[in-house]
């Protein structure tokens, strides 16, 4: 019962971050950064690893998508609306940064921006010259194949007083809005709080090997994913550990008018 109540509280607290129609088609504009490093060092705090996600197809997003960090790692399919320059498929980008300094919903890496262009000679270069283009975009599931969710222990972590982590390769189309940790085999859970971006932290670190519970939510649904053994007793800062689970859920939303870009 206590776990169920906790789930309800977490979902309620973060409901304001979830668009009522998060998966619907949105029309806006997109621009790009000439250097991917500007996005990899962004608000989500993924660091240099960000450029390895989706072959460097990453993006900064407006606050309603970034959601105080809950939107970090979300995937969006984006296409420009110029049929002479762009394909009808567009490209998939992953959110790695907060976009507040432009008049566009998304700021793409130059690699992702060019990927919207048709394969004809020079189309990608001409698209870059536009700088800002009209786009349509919608959220889609992140697909990492057979790769599990991974947990990186941040360098600031120090036993036994502080543990900070980042999640990598989160699949599906939901958001992690709560994380609990406990010693493997124990039912004494303690909670982590979002420090910034994709970073979660706690100053109540259990001893021994650690298990995790991830509360995930999207639209009107929420659930808990249990990773029974994630960090070994001798976990080390700077290391990445396999969670042994993957989150593949698709948000179920009350949006009867959702339209889709790709037929």
């Amino acid at each position: 019962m206590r776990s169920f109540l906790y789930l309800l509280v977490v979902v309620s607290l973060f409901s304001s971050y979830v668009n009522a129609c998060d998966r619907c088609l949105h029309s806006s504009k997109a621009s790009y950064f000439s250097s991917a490093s500007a996005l990899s060092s962004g608000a989500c705090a993924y660091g240099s690893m960000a450029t390895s996600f989706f072959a460097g197809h990453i993006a900064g997003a407006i606050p309603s998508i970034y959601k105080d960090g809950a939107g970090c790692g979300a995937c969006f399919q984006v296409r420009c609306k110029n049929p002479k320059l762009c394909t009808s498929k567009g490209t998939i980008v992953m959110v790695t940064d907060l976009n507040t300094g432009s008049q566009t919903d998304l700021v793409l890496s130059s690699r992702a921006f060019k990927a919207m262009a048709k394969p004809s000679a020079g189309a990608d270069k001409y698209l870059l010259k536009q700088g800002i283009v009209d786009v349509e975009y919608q959220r889609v599931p992140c697909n990492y194949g057979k790769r599990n969710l991974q947990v990186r222990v941040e360098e600031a972590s120090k036993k036994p007083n502080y543990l900070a982590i980042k999640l990598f390769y989160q699949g599906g189309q939901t958001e992690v809005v709560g994380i609990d940790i406990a010693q493997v085999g124990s039912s004494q859970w303690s909670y982590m709080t979002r420090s910034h971006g994709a970073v979660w932290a706690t100053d109540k670190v259990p001893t021994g090997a650690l298990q995790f519970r991830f509360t995930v939510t999207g639209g009107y649904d929420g659930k808990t994913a249990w990773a029974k053994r994630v960090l070994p007793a001798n976990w080390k800062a700077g290391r990445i550990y396999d969670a042994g689970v993957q989150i593949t859920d698709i948000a179920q939303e009350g949006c009867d008018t959702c339209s889709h870009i790709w037929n």
Side-chain angles (χ1 to χ4, degrees), residues 106-120:
L106 298 167
V107 179
L108 278 57
S109 62
S110 58
R111 181 175 294 184
F113 200 85
K114 290 190 296 182
M116 296 188 294
K118 287 184 174 180
S120 55

Side-chain angles (χ1 to χ4, degrees), residues 82-184:
N82 185 338
K84 294 182 179 180
L85 278 179
C86 302
T87 68
S88 60
K89 185 178 180 180
T91 187
I92 295 177
V93 299
M94 193 189 90
V95 174
T96 61
D97 198 4
L98 173 64
N99 168 34
T100 59
S102 74
Q103 300 303 310
T104 66
D105 282 12
L106 298 167
V107 179
L108 278 57
S109 62
S110 58
R111 181 175 294 184
F113 200 85
K114 290 190 296 182
M116 296 188 294
K118 287 184 174 180
S120 55
D124 57 346
K125 294 180 180 178
Y126 188 75
L127 185 62
L128 285 178
K129 288 182 180 179
Q130 307 303 301
I132 297 176
V133 294
D134 293 320
V135 297
E136 294 174 318
Y137 69 90
Q138 67 182 160
R139 188 170 179 183
V140 295
C142 296
N143 184 358
Y144 293 106
K146 296 182 179 180
R147 189 192 296 268
N148 286 329
L149 181 70
Q150 295 185 3
V151 175
R152 184 184 192 277
V153 178
E154 297 293 273
E155 281 78 0
S157 301
K158 186 175 182 180
K159 295 178 182 178
N161 300 317
Y162 186 71
L163 173 64
I165 64 168
K166 276 199 299 259
L167 302 182
F168 288 137
Y169 306 112
Q170 179 188 333
Q173 194 178 322
T174 53
E175 294 145 10
V176 171
V177 295
I179 300 178
D180 294 319
I181 59 172
Q183 187 181 67
V184 172

Side-chain angles (χ1 to χ4, degrees), residues 21 52 147 200 235:
C21 196
S52 67
R147 189 192 296 268
W200 294 77
W235 56 262

